[in-house]
Amino acid sequence: MAITGIGNNYNNVYESTYAAQKKEAAKEAGTKDTAPAQAENTKKVGTDNVSNYYSYLQKNYDCMPNENVSISSAYLKKCSGSSAKAKELEDFLKKIPELEKQGYEQLSAQNKALGGTVTYYQQTWMINKDGSIQSTVYSVTETDMTNAERMKKNMDERLEKQKEKKEDEEKINETKEEKAKQTEKPNGDMEEISVPELSVKYVEAGSELEAKAMMQKERLEDAYYPKFDVNV
């Protein structure tokens, strides 16, 4: 009776020890299997940073989904890693709808004075790698004047405006230089202020179809595209 009792206890101890060892071995095997997957997930988080930021912009800014805004991959990468750059970009994106509204109203008023009506208006925006901005206005205007007459008159008016603008810029530069002298630091260094550059080009098309065809040809060289980008 005593021997049988010892045998049962030994078997119980052995079975318990074996079960514990088996459980530990399974745990170690599971850890090894999941480690590569965890490492891969961690890697993806870093590489998806730009893509996630671009998705965020598309969801939160009305000007983004219509694809009229293209952003340099290099500049987008800077913005995704810098809150200051991101704020600069997003502040501008907020202004685009109002800038387009103002542009349409100004062109409509200008063409109305020439006896024409703007029947199509679309504006594109390209944000370069240095943060500078290029915009192109594509429009179609119906008028009794011939295209040649209207283009000449528009050109004359633009040349006059450019002349006035140049004179205004010269006055502004003189004022800036004067202020710069007053705000010069004690060590002689000038405080630099970064202001994004914006240039606007106007394209008059004969029809909406022609305008859209020209828009399709307009491309920013290193623009970011979620599915096909190779620059980031």
Side-chain angles (χ1 to χ4, degrees), residues 75-135:
Y75 186 69
L76 192 65
K77 187 175 182 179
K78 289 179 184 177
C79 294
S80 68
S82 166
S83 57
K85 285 288 183 185
K87 185 178 185 304
E88 183 179 291
L89 171 61
E90 292 176 41
D91 283 347
F92 175 72
L93 295 178
K94 288 178 186 176
K95 297 175 183 176
I96 286 181
E98 182 60 29
L99 291 172
E100 290 181 345
K101 180 183 176 184
Q102 291 177 3
Y104 171 75
E105 290 174 349
Q106 289 173 2
L107 186 63
S108 294
Q110 176 183 323
N111 286 352
K112 186 177 181 180
L114 300 173
T117 303
V118 176
T119 58
Y120 177 82
Y121 181 96
Q122 192 61 263
Q123 194 162 0
T124 61
W125 306 84
M126 295 192 299
I127 304 176
N128 301 305
K129 61 183 178 181
D130 61 353
S132 62
I133 302 159
Q134 294 171 269
S135 180

Side-chain angles (χ1 to χ4, degrees), residues 51-71:
S51 177
N52 290 339
Y53 182 57
Y54 187 80
S55 296
Y56 163 80
L57 294 178
Q58 285 194 309
K59 291 177 182 177
N60 290 274
Y61 294 94
D62 294 338
C63 62
M64 292 295 293
N66 60 14
E67 299 182 354
N68 287 343
V69 179
S70 53
I71 306 173

Side-chain angles (χ1 to χ4, degrees), residues 164-178:
E164 293 174 358
K165 184 179 179 181
K166 186 176 180 181
E167 292 174 354
D168 291 340
E169 286 177 349
E170 289 175 354
K171 291 178 182 178
I172 291 172
N173 288 334
E174 289 175 3
T175 304
K176 284 183 178 179
E177 289 175 4
E178 188 62 32

Side-chain angles (χ1 to χ4, degrees), residues 196-213:
E197 298 179 11
L198 171 61
S199 62
V200 182
K201 180 176 69 174
Y202 292 84
V203 176
E204 179 71 27
S207 66
E208 180 177 338
L209 188 62
E210 183 184 351
K212 289 180 177 180

